[in-house]
Amino acid sequence: MDNRDLGKRFDEVFQKMDRAYERYARSCGMTYSSLALLQLIWERQPCTQKELCALTMLPKQTINTIVMSFYKQGLLEMLELQEDRRRKSILLSDRGRELTARILPKISRAESRSIQQFSPEEKETFFCLLERFSAAFCEELNG
């Protein structure tokens, strides 16, 4: 298999997974980006928009649009930071915690059950290869 075929196969595999995440996000009334950001807020709270930008590599305006939408829906609380009143700490509200408790476990279960189909040796090989690929890819792309 030449490099072009490998690249195509790689793209097809990851696009298929991206489409599954996107379909699930749509079934929850969200975009892929908003679902990913909600999950990140849940994992990292409290956090700031600046931290979310750094973690996602999404533009500041995209992060702000999603965060403000979540805030208007009552999913988030935003508290001024003591050290810089212009920046706000982002936390899930009660409503946000209820939503994440309803929709995020399905993603975790799907990911967990998918990897559980591998033997312990396959899991170790899979993650070793994925980590190695990721490191090589980042090095090649970013020098």
Side-chain angles (χ1 to χ4, degrees), residues 37-97:
L37 196 61
L38 184 65
Q39 186 171 14
L40 195 54
I41 292 167
W42 174 76
E43 291 170 352
R44 302 283 180 141
Q45 65 180 325
C47 58
T48 64
Q49 288 190 38
K50 185 176 183 177
E51 292 167 341
L52 295 172
C53 286
L55 290 166
T56 63
M57 301 301 290
L58 289 171
K60 187 165 58 170
Q61 184 59 44
T62 301
I63 296 292
N64 184 260
T65 299
I66 295 170
V67 166
M68 293 313 296
S69 173
F70 285 161
Y71 181 74
K72 288 175 184 172
Q73 294 173 58
L75 302 175
L76 299 178
E77 296 174 4
M78 294 197 284
L79 308 170
E80 287 182 353
L81 295 174
Q82 296 278 8
E83 64 272 10
D84 183 354
R85 295 197 167 292
R86 293 170 297 161
R87 294 178 48 217
K88 294 183 176 39
S89 182
I90 300 168
L91 299 149
L92 291 172
S93 66
D94 289 342
R95 188 171 178 196
R97 284 189 295 278

Side-chain angles (χ1 to χ4, degrees), residues 8 15 17 31 36 40 42-43 50 58 61 65 74 84 97 99 109 111 116 122-123 139:
K8 185 178 177 184
Q15 285 176 15
M17 288 176 58
T31 64
L40 195 54
W42 174 76
E43 291 170 352
K50 185 176 183 177
L58 289 171
Q61 184 59 44
T65 299
D84 183 354
R97 284 189 295 278
L99 177 65
R109 276 192 309 274
E111 292 169 343
Q116 292 307 320
E122 288 172 324
K123 287 177 202 171
E139 178 64 28

